[in-house]
């Protein structure tokens, strides 16, 4: 299936020297994010209607580029250009300045629309503004009327459309300046426009500085993973997201950040071994926080890679073990046994998680994630600053092995 | 697709009180193995033609059972009974006393035969005997003649057939006593029987005590895995297979054997801690050998389970680490550091393998499997009996971490 992205608008309100589609949102251009979402939804044939040569230069090789030779004719004319390039078949229509979640596209496509369909949002409070396109829908989900000036309305246009050749044909009837909304309004009059509800999904029409900021915040908050442990969710992520917001503008790759986090771990181990347990504990916690950044940067930059995640995971294990070895080194005679058991239990938590992942299982219940890395390093941090290293190692040894034991028991009872 | 298994023969030559299909081969009946292979090849509708009520009792619920009311009429009559139960469609025809590899079935089916097809073996030396059914094939792979008495022949009948309704129809033309070979001979005369070559695949017509022994040996040797390390291949497997050959006749489950192997590991750890390093080393090696048996029993009994393999893997990690901790305990002051690093490296080998498995990667090159569990425990065994525990821990610490480092490097360079 093909998709058309309208990217010929100027976006004066963003007060930015770049063309609107190239506006940076957390180091990636808006249009790059739209293209990425299309690819995630399995759409590879992408047509971009542009007017500014900088857009062309940026997207060469990534999409089929169609030039809008007269932007004075409005967005409807861009649609005509794009739809003509598609030919006589259904296509997706997207705006280069509307950010959304690829899941919405997947849902729209799997609903298999048979007439032109507009994705709408019922949450008027959240999305209404002077620039929003309002929609009035009847009980069957058909569009009755659409426009920015509507007084009576019950939904907002999200800028995501599934188009049949009806759209292409109607667009040809227009002359002079006309908008996409004009085209859709005419389809609605002919009862040829229905809706698909994506209320609750993330989307944002990035047409002002405020909206850009809002989109940024939502994207950053989406970095909190449902599998995050308690410490991670309530402490580490809050800081790591702030760091990532800064790092995303640098050239650091996720793997480099994994390595930097590892170096902090090594440094903490050395400090523990030298008896500098307060600083060592703090450095361990910093390493733990930085450990969130590699994945965050990978997701923000669209560089998520399974091998990258594995690289990170193995380095994490080395940091974990070396930090405990560092603690043992501060007093081997009394710490070797609890330390050794803490090493065994800690590694077993990660090992059992990895084995579970092989079977498509993710441990998420509280007692299952209780001793994940975020908690373990936080305990070590507490041990470091309070000096109760022996006690912390005992707690680590007991609880990590207890959780691992529960997991072993789980697998012993599971038959496939 | 349906399959017919002929299981009405008596098998007098096996000199066994049980009916031939129920002859035990490594604790599983021959017919159970045939059914298991069919299921592995994706065939679930299985029709068994039987004459002895013990066969019926054994298979009730596992297959559709068709009674041969007159075994005096020969195998051809059994085929008629089975084919009639199939109806007017293609089916697989198998002998309850012919053991084979499910892969052969998969290959046969994916060749999509359009006429009746007999799987043959070109290796005359390996399979010819007074009881073998000989086949003469022309250059196009069509059967020219078939029979036990053929003087001129170039292949052996493996007892695996893909049948079209031609077989069903021709079978109806016979009267009196007739064999499957008679039916196939008639098809061959009509140029309606071609062949599929499975030379090199494992199969065995288990009709004598010698053949039973031969099949047993081949099945046992197939337990050596291509991923086995050096020590495993050349030492551990040779012993573990002998133990498994005995254990397969007991009621021990694979998980129980995993646990017994783990207990030996624990015992070794305790002995090391008490300074009994010679016995400890020997017990560690016994644990390592027993560790092969759980998987072997699982495969021999058809009880392979991913969760079982995970249960085994986690217990192995605990045994590994506790044995090293036991060694450290014998002299903590001087061994805690090398021991700790050996623990870290050893666990990392297993962890990186598990992570690699997630990406569908199996490490098989020599340097990659150099420090797998078989080698590690063998080194500990050597350390135990020679008393050079420090040296062995140094070797373990160095090489396990080196291999782990190579694997980390591998993942850091890999992009997906």
């Amino acid at each position: 299936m093909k998709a058309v992205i309208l990217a010929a608008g100027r976006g004066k309100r963003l007060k930015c020297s770049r063309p609107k589609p190239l506006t940076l949102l957390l180091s990636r251009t808006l249009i790059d994010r739209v293209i990425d979402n299309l690819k995630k939804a399995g759409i590879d044939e992408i047509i971009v209607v542009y007017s500014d040569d900088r857009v062309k230069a940026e997207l060469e090789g990534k999409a089929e580029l169609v030039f809008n030779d007269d932007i004075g004719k409005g967005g409807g004319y861009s649609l005509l250009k794009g739809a003509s390039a598609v030919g006589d078949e259904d296509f997706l229509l997207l705006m280069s300045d509307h950010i959304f979640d690829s899941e919405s596209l997947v849902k729209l496509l799997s609903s298999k629309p048979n007439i032109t369909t507009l994705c709408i949002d019922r949450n008027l409070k959240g999305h209404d503004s002077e620039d929003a396109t309002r929609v009035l829908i009847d009980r069957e989900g058909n569009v009755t009327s659409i426009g920015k000036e509507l007084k009576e309305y019950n939904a907002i246009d999200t800028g995501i459309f599934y188009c049949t050749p009806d759209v292409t044909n109607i667009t040809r009837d227009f002359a002079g300046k006309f908008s996409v909304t004009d085209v859709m309004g005419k389809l609605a009059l002919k009862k040829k426009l229905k809706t698909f509800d994506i209320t609750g999904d993330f989307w944002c029409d990035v047409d002002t500085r405020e909206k850009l900021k809002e989109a940024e915040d939502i994207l950053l908050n989406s970095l909190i993973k449902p599998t995050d442990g308690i410490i991670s969710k309530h402490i580490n992520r809050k800081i790591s997201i702030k760091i990532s917001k800064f790092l995303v503008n640098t050239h650091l790759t996720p793997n480099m950040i994994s390595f930097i986090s590892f170096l902090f771990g090594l440094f903490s181990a050395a400090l523990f071994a030298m008896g500098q347990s307060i600083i060592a504990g703090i450095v361990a916690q910093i390493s733990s926080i930085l450990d969130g950044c590699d994945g965050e940067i990978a997701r923000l930059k669209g560089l998520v890679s399974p091998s990258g995640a594995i690289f990170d995971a193995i380095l994490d294990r080395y940091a974990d073990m070396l930090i405990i070895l560092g603690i043992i080194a501060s007093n081997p005679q009394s710490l070797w046994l609890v330390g050794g058991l803490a090493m065994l239990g800690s590694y077993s938590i990660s090992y059992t998680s990895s084995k579970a992942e092989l079977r498509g299982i993710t441990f998420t219940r509280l007692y299952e994630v209780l001793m994940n890395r975020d908690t373990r390093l936080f305990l070590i941090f507490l041990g470091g600053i309070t000096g109760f290293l022996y006690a912390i190692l005992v707690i680590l040894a007991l609880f990590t092995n207890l959780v691992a034991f529960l997991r072993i028991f789980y697998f012993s009872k599971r038959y496939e």
Side-chain angles (χ1 to χ4, degrees), chain A:
Chain A
M1 178 159 213
K2 292 175 183 170
V4 171
I5 306 175
L6 304 187
R10 282 186 238 184
K12 290 172 197 158
R13 268 168 306 184
L14 274 165
K15 295 173 195 122
C16 182
S17 60
R18 302 172 141 237
K20 197 174 176 191
L22 300 187
T23 303
L24 288 177
L25 171 57
L26 291 168
S27 95
R28 294 179 77 191
T29 63
L30 295 179
I31 195 160
D32 192 28
R33 290 180 176 274
V34 175
I35 291 175
D36 199 45
N37 278 339
L38 283 168
K39 290 195 172 155
K40 277 187 194 156
I43 311 276
D44 275 319
E45 291 181 86
I46 299 168
I47 295 160
V48 174
V49 185
Y50 74 100
S51 63
D52 191 306
D53 278 345
R54 285 170 292 180
V55 174
K56 185 184 177 192
E58 186 77 17
L59 297 182
E60 207 101 60
K62 291 182 191 167
E64 182 184 337
L65 291 155
V66 174
F67 182 57
N68 178 336
D69 51 353
D70 189 354
I71 51 169
K73 286 188 178 168
Y77 185 64
S78 281
L79 170 54
L80 172 60
K81 284 279 178 183
S84 305
V86 168
D88 191 34
E89 57 184 273
D90 292 3
F91 62 97
L92 286 175
L93 172 64
L94 301 145
M95 309 300 134
S96 67
D97 51 2
H98 281 57
I99 298 307
F100 54 90
D101 192 324
S102 62
E103 273 306 302
S104 304
L105 282 189
V106 172
K107 285 190 284 183
L108 170 64
L109 289 173
S110 55
S111 78
K112 301 200 172 142
N114 46 15
I115 66 167
T116 301
T117 302
L118 161 63
C119 289
I120 52 94
D121 196 312
R122 294 269 189 182
N123 176 6
L124 304 182
K125 268 191 196 163
H127 293 285
D128 204 3
S129 73
E130 52 177 303
D131 197 57
T133 301
R134 298 162 175 179
V135 187
L136 181 64
I137 310 173
D138 67 16
R139 287 191 183 177
E140 281 75 43
N142 298 306
V143 175
T144 308
S145 48
I146 178 169
K148 286 188 200 295
E149 332 278 64
L150 288 194
K151 291 281 169 270
E152 193 193 341
Y153 60 100
N154 50 17
I156 305 290
D157 168 357
T158 66
I160 303 171
F161 299 84
Y162 181 97
C163 299
T164 67
D166 284 348
V167 173
T168 322
N169 297 331
I170 281 206
T171 310
R172 295 211 172 95
D173 297 344
F174 283 86
K177 181 175 178 176
F178 63 107
S179 67
V180 173
T181 305
D182 293 336
V183 174
M184 295 301 159
K186 206 156 179 180
L187 271 180
L189 278 179
K190 297 189 173 189
K191 302 271 173 222
K192 284 186 170 173
L193 181 61
K194 63 169 191 169
T195 56
F196 184 78
D197 192 345
I198 63 163
T199 306
D201 288 6
F202 162 63
W203 69 275
C204 186
D205 174 4
V206 185
D207 55 0
T208 60
R209 292 235 151 234
E210 291 68 38
K211 285 281 184 181
L212 189 63
K213 179 80 184 58
E214 193 183 311
E216 201 173 276
D217 287 344
I218 293 173
L219 283 177
L220 286 172
N221 281 321
S222 73
L223 295 173
I224 299 172
K225 291 198 284 187
T227 51
D228 277 350
I230 312 160
I231 302 296
S232 183
K233 194 175 290 172
H234 297 289
I235 301 177
N236 297 6
R237 281 285 179 212
K238 293 194 174 157
I239 309 172
S240 67
I241 285 175
K242 290 202 174 65
I243 300 173
S244 290
K245 191 176 164 183
F246 164 75
L247 291 179
V248 79
N249 297 309
T250 68
H251 288 290
L252 289 177
T253 65
N255 275 4
M256 287 180 197
I257 299 168
S258 301
F259 195 71
I260 292 170
S261 162
F262 170 69
L263 289 181
F264 271 84
L266 272 193
F267 185 41
S268 166
L271 287 167
F272 270 121
M274 294 186 295
Q276 302 293 325
S277 65
I278 297 177
I279 319 176
I282 295 169
V283 174
Q285 179 58 17
I286 293 175
S287 169
S288 177
I289 291 167
L290 282 177
D291 183 37
C293 294
D294 45 12
E296 292 166 12
I297 296 294
R299 278 177 284 158
L300 288 177
K301 289 194 170 181
L303 293 173
V304 172
S305 123
S307 288
I310 294 176
F311 176 73
D312 175 41
I314 306 173
L315 285 186
D316 284 353
R317 299 296 79 71
Y318 265 84
D320 290 352
M321 296 299 112
L322 291 173
I323 288 172
I324 299 178
L325 262 183
I327 297 175
I328 296 175
S330 69
N331 186 357
Q333 196 63 39
S334 65
L335 296 179
W336 71 270
L337 183 58
V338 275
L341 292 172
M343 285 173 72
L344 168 55
S346 300
Y347 217 141
S348 295
I349 297 280
S350 306
Y351 186 67
T352 48
S353 292
S354 165
K355 285 287 178 186
E357 202 181 336
L358 270 173
R359 306 301 315 145
I361 303 158
T362 307
F363 294 117
T364 51
R365 270 176 280 180
L366 180 61
Y367 73 86
E368 289 168 339
V369 300
L370 187 66
M371 294 309 286
N372 279 4
R373 185 165 205 246
D374 56 331
T375 321
R376 300 197 304 262
L377 285 178
F378 191 71
L379 285 173
I380 286 173
F381 160 67
L382 291 180
I385 57 172
T386 60
F388 294 129
L389 288 171
Y390 186 86
I392 288 295
L393 286 184
V394 169
I395 291 172
L396 274 177
L398 277 180
F399 286 94
T400 54
N401 286 299
L402 178 64
V403 173
F405 174 79
L406 291 173
R407 293 179 177 186
I408 296 173
F409 186 71
Y410 168 82
F411 283 112
S412 77
K413 291 288 163 209
R414 193 164 183 270
Y415 287 98
E416 292 156 299

